[in-house]
Amino acid sequence: MYKNILLAIDGSENSQRAGYEAAKLALADTVSVTILHVMDPEDTQKDVVRSTSERHLNKQRKDILSSIIRFFDEQAVDHEYVIRRGLPARKVIEEANTGNYDVLVIGSRGLNIFQEMVLGSVSHKVVKHARIPVVIVK
């Protein structure tokens, strides 16, 4: 089935469910999962003002997402955690299209139809531009 899964997470409830789905896919076979967290520039600027160091900032981010990572550890799923900086949709698409992945798993944001039409969503943009299959979990 899949050998390399890219899991894009942001710490939301939907991305946590996406993490569990990616783990199920990984447990079905010997699969490697790359857990990608993209730090939005606006959020990063706010965090840097509050944070004393880059290392501390990365630790804060990892703590937010630790439940997903801990789940992968408990299930003994081969995984790595990667942080990128930039616009989330752009960075997820870039990683999906340049990496050696078979599928991308991402959570939906849960916008209503009007919000998505006006604002767009990361998962919608990713589906349109990723060159690999995308699984959206809600």
Side-chain angles (χ1 to χ4, degrees):
M1 189 134 169
Y2 302 120
K3 294 295 178 195
N4 295 304
I5 297 173
L6 176 61
L7 168 63
I9 59 174
D10 63 5
S12 69
E13 212 174 289
N14 285 336
S15 75
Q16 191 165 23
R17 282 194 289 277
Y20 297 142
E21 289 301 315
K24 285 182 201 175
L25 290 172
L27 288 171
D29 204 352
T30 307
V31 176
S32 175
V33 178
T34 299
I35 302 171
L36 172 66
H37 176 71
V38 178
M39 297 170 60
D40 189 295
E42 277 189 29
D43 293 339
T44 302
Q45 288 174 351
K46 292 174 193 169
D47 289 341
V48 167
V49 169
R50 287 184 246 142
S51 179
T52 56
S53 72
E54 181 77 14
R55 179 177 284 170
H56 181 68
L57 177 60
N58 287 338
K59 184 184 179 325
Q60 285 177 323
R61 289 288 182 181
K62 203 164 187 176
D63 288 346
I64 291 169
L65 305 165
S66 65
S67 65
I68 295 171
I69 294 167
R70 187 172 37 255
F71 181 75
F72 276 78
D73 288 339
E74 290 167 357
Q75 299 300 313
V77 173
D78 181 29
H79 65 280
E80 73 171 313
Y81 178 73
V82 176
I83 298 174
R84 299 282 187 260
R85 285 185 172 72
L87 299 174
R90 184 178 295 159
K91 289 297 179 181
V92 171
I93 293 163
E94 182 180 295
E95 185 73 24
N97 290 343
T98 60
N100 184 29
Y101 304 106
D102 301 309
V103 64
L104 164 65
V105 179
I106 188 170
S108 70
R109 186 166 169 205
L111 299 174
N112 66 39
I113 294 171
F114 177 74
Q115 289 171 319
E116 187 165 330
M117 186 174 60
V118 174
L119 302 173
S121 72
V122 171
S123 57
H124 181 75
K125 291 173 188 170
V126 167
V127 166
K128 286 175 65 172
H129 299 286
R131 295 186 199 123
I132 61 174
V134 178
V135 175
I136 298 177
V137 179
K138 66 177 199 169

